[in-house]
Amino acid sequence: MKNSISFRPLARASTPIINNILYKSRFSAACFSRRRNYSTHPPNARLNLPPDYSTTPLLSHSSQTALANPELPPEARNSTAKRMNLFQAINDALSIALAEDENVLVFGEDVSFGGVFRCTMKLAENFGAARVFNTPLTEQGIMGFGIGLAAEGMRPVAEIQFADYVYPAFDQLVNEAAKYRYREGNTGRSVGGLTVRMPCGGVGHGALYHSQSPESLFTHIPGLRVIMPRSPLQAKGLLLSAIRSNDPCVFMEPKILYRAAVEQVPTSPYTLPLSKAEILKEGKDVTIISYGQPLYTCSAAIQKAEEDLGVSIELIDLRTVYPWDKECVFKSVRKTGRCMVVHESMVNAGIGAEVAAAIQEDPDTFIRLEAPVSRVAGWSIFTPLMFEKFNIPDVARVYDGVKKLLEY
Amino acid sequence: MRSQIFSGALLRRASGSVLCCPRVPGFQQSARLASSISQRPGSSHVSFPGAVKSAFTSDLKFVVPSDYPALPTYRAVDQHGNIVDNSFKPDLGEEEVVKLYRDMLTISIMDPVMFDAQRQGRISFYMVSAGEEAISVGSASALDPRDVVFCQYREQGLFAQRGFTLKDFMNQLFANKHDPGKGRNMPVHYGSKELNIHTISSPLATQIPQASGAAYALKMQHINDPSVPPRVVAVYFGEGAASEGDFHAALNIAATRSCPVIFICRNNGYSISTPTLEQYRGDGIASRGIGYGIDTVRVDGNDLWAVREVTKKAREMALQDGGKPVLIEAMSYRVSHHSTSDDSFAYRARMEVEDWKRRDNPIARLRKYMEAKGFWDESKEKEARESIKRDVLKAFSEAEREKKPPIRTMFEDVYEELTPDLKAQMEQLKHHLEKYPDEYDLAEYEGGINSLKP
């Protein structure tokens, strides 16, 4: 489904990096030239069309819309906006953070030359090799190093090249970063300055180790804030919030959107609130709760379902998946009585489990439920190369989920 | 946006770095510094970017570790208190030496008292550091008080040397309301803001890469504001912890980022029950430093003077050329059990331990040195031991009597602010305790149930 994005004129059209990474690495030119086009969809598909990022209502296609965002501070609203894709927005946020605070440092594997996804382009040139640098290839080292920096008052922004490779750093994140403030107690030390960025999510052909979304593993850890933006404008504001936040933040970037999602982004610095969900579309019959890339899938499914079924559906972006905005979700579900949680990662003990349990546990929300809370998510498997399209929730599955909720 | 950069190699890990990092301290801008050294015909040296100074050889030979002698162990003063390094000049006056001696003595007197207190069920856990007092006290004495320290858990002597009082030790051990850790951590997990020592955590070796990062922070802070004096980080760990991946990450990253950090390994022969023969097969920990490109020394951990000297020198070296790491391996013997949860006679002979105690111990060695100098004798020893024991028992009973921290403390400091969720959970606990008052004893907690008011 995904490669069609490379044929659309972007700021600088070129083959998506991920293709370079995944195709050019160890395969011969012969193999390369017989590239399968993963983005085709069945000729008669009505629902499962590739997401059209150029028309989706989730992106601000004009600077007017971008600057009218009510969450922006006045100075950002009065500034200008510029077309950016997601990696450019991340890059912009990092530039601002480095410029405004000398304690901010950016490091990880291959960040010096701009990063394998271009997120750190020109930063080493502009801010110096002392503040933007490559580390040896060791995730536990990167994380431990970042924790030490933050514990001594710096604001490190560490990059893990793919979320799939965060596990060697899991001990440092869980036992150290998350618990630092708690165990230090009255000394007042913490690693609140730490932000960890990692590309995550399916990309059409990432298979087992370039597709994972391990966010729910981090949501089981008190002390961490776990954030996943859906778009360039969101990414810039949420990343600046994460860097300025005094709690350690895990910032997950849906890599499929790096080049695909393009929108107008305010040029001046601004932050967006953490632990606040956003209602992207009002509705009265069903609530759909999601975050990250699947929101585009949900949005497309909502359009079709509303046309076909004559209902109105509310769409909520959690944005911060932990600690998450329960009130916003409860309020919506009390109104609609039906709800569905959609995420890419596997269904078992995923974000959907936490959201669904909290909804049925809240007395005022439980009595308003007209149907069981449903979860449309990845199956309890890994991301298999040739079967990704059957695993990640697509428009048809979300559409059918809405139908089932209404038929209950 | 030069995607042609990706001409080869990026299914991550599929390629080695193409950067040739010259070994200059400070920083290199590593924009596409692809190694441009080409192999000249007839050249005697390899020009592979991964090893630029390697000569070609036509003699096929593997490097065999056992061909190399074990790295020597530096000693300034022998078992009898005599100076054996003729170039060594003691740099402390009588008063200062006595203070260091008393620090070691304090720990060695507090240890058995607290060990017994655990046996009586008055504290939940304890770890003594018998046989390793000189490592922590000697090295601490060579640091600047502003230097930052990360510990493993057997460095009580360092806390004492830096000014942690008996009251401070006891508050933490009893987890009372004066414990900076707010009663959240197990005993022996000390920490101090004033003394620049990070709070101890149980997971082994996690503090080692953190020390590298902290050292980089100090280096940057000095660059950003030269009025801040240059400082180093010292990090302590045992030889068992050095088997963790975090040790590898830490030394490597400290070397590549030129961090002013002193790695101090306490090699005491055992990790709980595991002897070093089952821990590694190389020449201890010191031999590894060389592989990371780190200046390394091995020292007699029972010789306070030697430990102090190498740490002093290491601190100077760590601050040279904009900063670099140094590794110290301090050899000793863990005279005591691993902790109160361990009976070490299950895996080693009582005889071996007794031998070590009698043959060589750091406190006796410094005492002999002081007696030879004529400023210590039997009566001073007796007086010191008695007064320290009195102070320990006084601090003990005072700390034991104090209330525990308020119950609400359990919810605080997870995040900077209490989240709505945590406030709700605090409320739930309060209601529950009100509903079942006979099921819980709240008397020992400061403020009782009232602390749970939102």
Side-chain angles (χ1 to χ4, degrees):
Chain A
M1 101 185 181
K2 319 285 186 187
N3 273 1
S4 61
I5 60 175
S6 62
F7 304 127
R8 291 217 337 278
L10 296 181
R12 301 277 300 267
S14 73
T15 326
I17 287 293
I18 186 76
N19 288 345
N20 282 292
I21 290 177
L22 296 179
Y23 286 118
K24 287 196 179 180
S25 57
R26 286 188 282 192
F27 308 114
S28 68
C31 171
F32 185 54
S33 64
R34 289 178 39 236
R35 198 161 99 192
R36 289 281 308 274
N37 192 339
Y38 284 78
S39 67
T40 51
H41 54 275
N44 299 326
R46 192 177 72 89
L47 300 169
N48 276 347
L49 307 172
D52 185 353
Y53 292 101
S54 61
T55 58
T56 174
L58 302 192
L59 295 169
S60 303
H61 301 291
S62 76
S63 51
Q64 228 172 345
T65 349
L67 298 173
N69 186 318
E71 286 183 329
L72 293 178
E75 57 274 20
R77 250 177 294 184
N78 299 330
S79 75
T80 52
K82 193 175 148 200
R83 261 172 74 82
M84 292 183 202
N85 63 23
L86 188 82
F87 81 63
Q88 291 162 333
I90 299 282
N91 183 267
D92 191 32
L94 291 172
S95 280
I96 289 167
L98 283 157
E100 76 187 3
D101 183 351
E102 65 180 3
N103 292 321
V104 172
L105 304 163
V106 173
F107 54 89
E109 294 155 20
D110 306 300
V111 302
S112 277
F113 86 112
V116 298
F117 288 113
R118 294 289 178 265
C119 292
T120 51
M121 285 303 283
K122 297 262 186 294
L123 298 182
E125 272 165 73
N126 295 340
F127 299 98
R131 296 181 62 203
V132 180
F133 52 87
N134 291 340
T135 62
L137 211 158
T138 164
E139 285 76 15
Q140 63 196 110
I142 291 168
M143 204 62 65
F145 194 79
I147 289 168
L149 280 162
E152 280 301 317
M154 306 299 274
R155 291 206 167 267
V157 184
E159 178 183 302
I160 299 294
Q161 202 162 74
F162 286 83
D164 311 58
Y165 306 128
V166 73
Y167 309 114
F170 207 58
D171 184 37
Q172 285 284 357
L173 268 167
V174 176
N175 274 329
E176 298 290 320
K179 296 174 174 66
Y180 219 96
R181 183 192 301 279
Y182 194 71
R183 72 171 186 237
E184 284 278 352
N186 280 342
T187 74
R189 283 197 205 93
S190 79
V191 294
L194 178 70
T195 304
V196 187
R197 298 175 40 243
M198 58 188 91
C200 68
V203 68
H205 47 274
L208 275 60
Y209 306 108
H210 295 83
S211 305
Q212 297 176 41
S213 294
E215 63 274 4
S216 68
L217 297 177
F218 301 117
T219 63
H220 194 61
I221 306 162
L224 299 179
R225 292 190 182 273
V226 189
I227 304 143
M228 196 187 294
R230 70 175 180 271
S231 76
L233 187 149
Q234 293 290 316
K236 178 177 172 179
L238 291 170
L239 181 53
L240 278 170
S241 279
I243 294 171
R244 293 178 189 179
S245 154
N246 289 328
D247 294 314
C249 294
V250 176
F251 193 83
M252 307 182 73
E253 301 162 7
K255 68 177 90 69
I256 186 80
L257 301 179
Y258 273 142
R259 285 157 187 271
V262 183
E263 71 178 328
Q264 294 286 343
V265 178
T267 46
S268 71
Y270 61 93
T271 56
L272 294 172
L274 300 181
S275 294
K276 277 271 173 289
E278 188 183 9
I279 298 172
L280 302 185
K281 179 187 169 303
E282 302 261 346
K284 58 182 179 34
D285 301 310
V286 177
T287 301
I288 297 183
I289 301 140
S290 188
Y291 55 92
Q293 199 278 336
L295 285 161
Y296 296 92
T297 307
C298 295
S299 177
I302 287 170
Q303 272 178 342
K304 290 285 191 295
E306 289 188 337
E307 279 168 34
D308 296 357
L309 313 169
V311 289
S312 102
I313 302 172
E314 186 143 309
L315 180 60
I316 296 179
D317 178 4
L318 282 182
R319 298 197 288 189
T320 300
V321 290
Y322 193 77
W324 59 288
D325 188 351
K326 286 184 175 174
E327 267 323 296
C328 171
V329 170
F330 290 174
K331 222 169 112 187
S332 170
V333 177
R334 284 172 205 155
K335 176 177 69 176
T336 62
R338 292 181 174 85
C339 92
M340 179 202 297
V341 191
V342 183
H343 54 74
E344 250 185 49
S345 55
M346 49 288 278
V347 67
N348 47 295
I351 301 297
E354 162 72 8
V355 173
I359 286 169
Q360 70 81 36
E361 198 179 31
D362 182 68
D364 298 337
T365 313
F366 175 71
I367 53 165
R368 303 299 315 244
L369 284 177
E370 304 285 345
V373 178
S374 77
R375 293 180 286 170
V376 176
W379 309 118
S380 300
I381 58 169
F382 316 108
T383 302
L385 180 70
M386 285 317 297
F387 313 100
E388 182 179 310
K389 59 177 174 290
F390 305 113
N391 185 35
I392 287 184
D394 57 15
V395 181
R397 280 179 61 199
V398 177
Y399 175 91
D400 189 60
V402 171
K403 271 180 114 163
K404 283 181 179 149
L405 276 175
L406 293 164
E407 288 162 3
Y408 180 79
Chain B
M1 185 98 71
R2 297 178 307 241
S3 44
Q4 65 273 23
I5 289 180
F6 285 82
S7 55
L10 263 178
L11 178 49
R12 180 185 147 109
R13 328 217 160 181
S15 72
S17 158
V18 288
L19 303 180
C20 155
C21 278
R23 283 236 202 118
V24 260
F27 309 112
Q28 301 91 40
Q29 174 65 48
S30 45
R32 302 175 67 191
L33 282 180
S35 169
S36 58
I37 316 163
S38 57
Q39 190 73 56
R40 287 196 195 80
S43 164
S44 65
H45 279 67
V46 173
S47 293
F48 299 118
V52 287
K53 286 185 184 166
S54 171
F56 283 123
T57 174
S58 52
D59 181 14
L60 172 55
K61 222 166 65 189
F62 284 80
V63 176
V64 180
S66 57
D67 289 350
Y68 292 80
L71 292 170
T73 302
Y74 172 70
R75 204 176 235 203
V77 173
D78 70 11
Q79 278 115 304
H80 313 295
N82 306 319
I83 294 177
V84 287
D85 170 7
N86 295 329
S87 68
F88 163 67
K89 295 273 176 291
D91 59 345
L92 297 177
E94 176 179 339
E95 218 172 297
E96 291 156 310
V97 179
V98 169
K99 157 133 186 13
L100 295 186
Y101 181 74
R102 285 189 71 106
D103 289 336
M104 291 204 284
L105 210 53
T106 300
I107 295 305
S108 75
I109 289 167
M110 179 178 80
D111 273 352
V113 171
M114 298 322 289
F115 192 91
D116 292 346
Q118 191 279 337
R119 284 287 179 265
Q120 296 164 15
R122 294 165 84 170
I123 58 173
S124 58
F125 178 77
Y126 195 71
M127 299 180 104
V128 313
S129 63
E132 297 177 61
E133 297 91 342
I135 298 177
S136 51
V137 173
S139 58
S141 75
L143 297 172
D144 184 291
R146 286 166 299 193
D147 291 339
V148 173
V149 177
F150 288 80
C151 292
Q152 179 164 301
Y153 50 57
R154 215 182 292 281
E155 292 85 13
Q156 291 91 314
L158 171 127
F159 280 87
Q161 193 282 332
R162 285 203 150 203
F164 214 61
T165 63
L166 286 167
K167 203 181 173 71
D168 294 328
F169 282 116
M170 295 298 167
N171 289 338
Q172 200 284 328
L173 295 168
F174 284 102
N176 67 26
K177 65 180 193 188
H178 302 297
D179 165 24
K182 299 189 186 181
R184 294 165 182 156
N185 307 308
M186 275 175 88
V188 188
H189 292 54
Y190 311 110
S192 166
K193 178 73 179 156
E194 298 69 36
L195 308 179
N196 290 309
I197 312 170
H198 286 258
T199 299
I200 291 165
S201 75
S202 304
L204 287 179
T206 48
Q207 77 279 15
I208 316 178
Q210 290 169 14
S212 302
Y216 196 76
L218 302 190
K219 172 176 167 163
M220 292 300 292
Q221 285 159 10
H222 177 62
I223 291 171
N224 292 342
D225 179 2
S227 72
V228 176
R231 292 179 291 159
V232 302
V233 172
V235 56
Y236 295 79
F237 51 94
E239 89 284 349
S243 294
E244 294 279 5
D246 278 334
F247 166 88
H248 164 67
L251 271 71
N252 199 29
I253 210 164
T256 59
R257 294 311 305 169
S258 309
C259 303
V261 53
I262 307 172
F263 299 107
I264 302 176
C265 177
R266 295 178 292 94
N267 190 336
N268 63 15
Y270 288 95
S271 301
I272 304 187
S273 70
T274 305
T276 51
L277 200 62
E278 291 167 11
Q279 198 63 249
Y280 53 73
R281 284 300 167 96
D283 177 22
I285 308 305
S287 66
R288 299 178 195 172
I290 302 156
Y292 294 108
I294 292 178
D295 299 356
T296 301
V297 69
R298 176 175 279 160
V299 65
D300 180 348
N302 285 340
D303 177 358
L304 177 126
W305 288 113
V307 175
R308 181 178 155 79
E309 279 303 294
V310 298
T311 312
K312 212 163 63 178
K313 188 96 186 70
R315 189 178 187 277
E316 282 166 25
M317 289 158 64
L319 290 173
Q320 272 162 16
D321 315 324
K324 65 175 177 193
V326 182
L327 171 63
I328 298 171
E329 183 181 26
M331 311 310 288
S332 71
Y333 184 85
R334 198 193 76 213
V335 171
S336 58
H337 299 309
H338 167 74
S339 73
T340 47
S341 314
D342 170 51
D343 174 8
S344 65
F345 299 131
Y347 50 80
R348 61 182 184 180
R350 206 174 278 267
M351 195 61 189
E352 179 189 331
V353 179
E354 290 306 320
D355 264 5
W356 267 101
K357 271 194 204 166
R358 208 181 42 245
R359 193 171 49 205
D360 187 19
N361 94 59
I363 296 176
R365 210 192 283 196
L366 188 61
R367 186 180 157 187
K368 284 173 187 159
Y369 169 91
M370 296 194 305
E371 285 171 348
K373 289 265 183 246
F375 54 72
W376 199 254
D377 56 36
E378 194 59 47
S379 72
K380 282 188 173 157
E381 176 76 9
K382 193 164 172 285
E383 189 279 323
R385 284 181 177 273
E386 278 168 7
S387 70
I388 289 170
K389 183 132 196 188
R390 262 199 315 275
D391 294 346
V392 167
L393 294 173
K394 184 164 167 283
F396 179 107
S397 58
E398 279 173 7
E400 195 177 27
R401 279 200 302 268
E402 290 282 7
K403 288 236 180 208
K404 302 303 178 201
I407 303 172
R408 83 173 283 124
T409 308
M410 67 191 272
F411 292 101
E412 291 169 333
D413 301 329
V414 174
Y415 293 95
E416 185 182 29
E417 307 281 340
L418 279 174
T419 61
D421 246 8
L422 289 171
K423 283 182 188 158
Q425 290 174 11
M426 197 157 81
E427 187 77 4
Q428 280 176 36
L429 176 62
K430 182 167 174 285
H431 287 315
H432 178 74
L433 296 177
E434 281 166 348
K435 202 167 162 187
Y436 296 95
D438 298 340
E439 304 297 327
Y440 303 91
D441 185 3
L442 312 183
E444 61 178 338
Y445 297 92
E446 180 92 340
I449 201 163
N450 295 329
S451 78
L452 290 168
K453 287 216 171 80

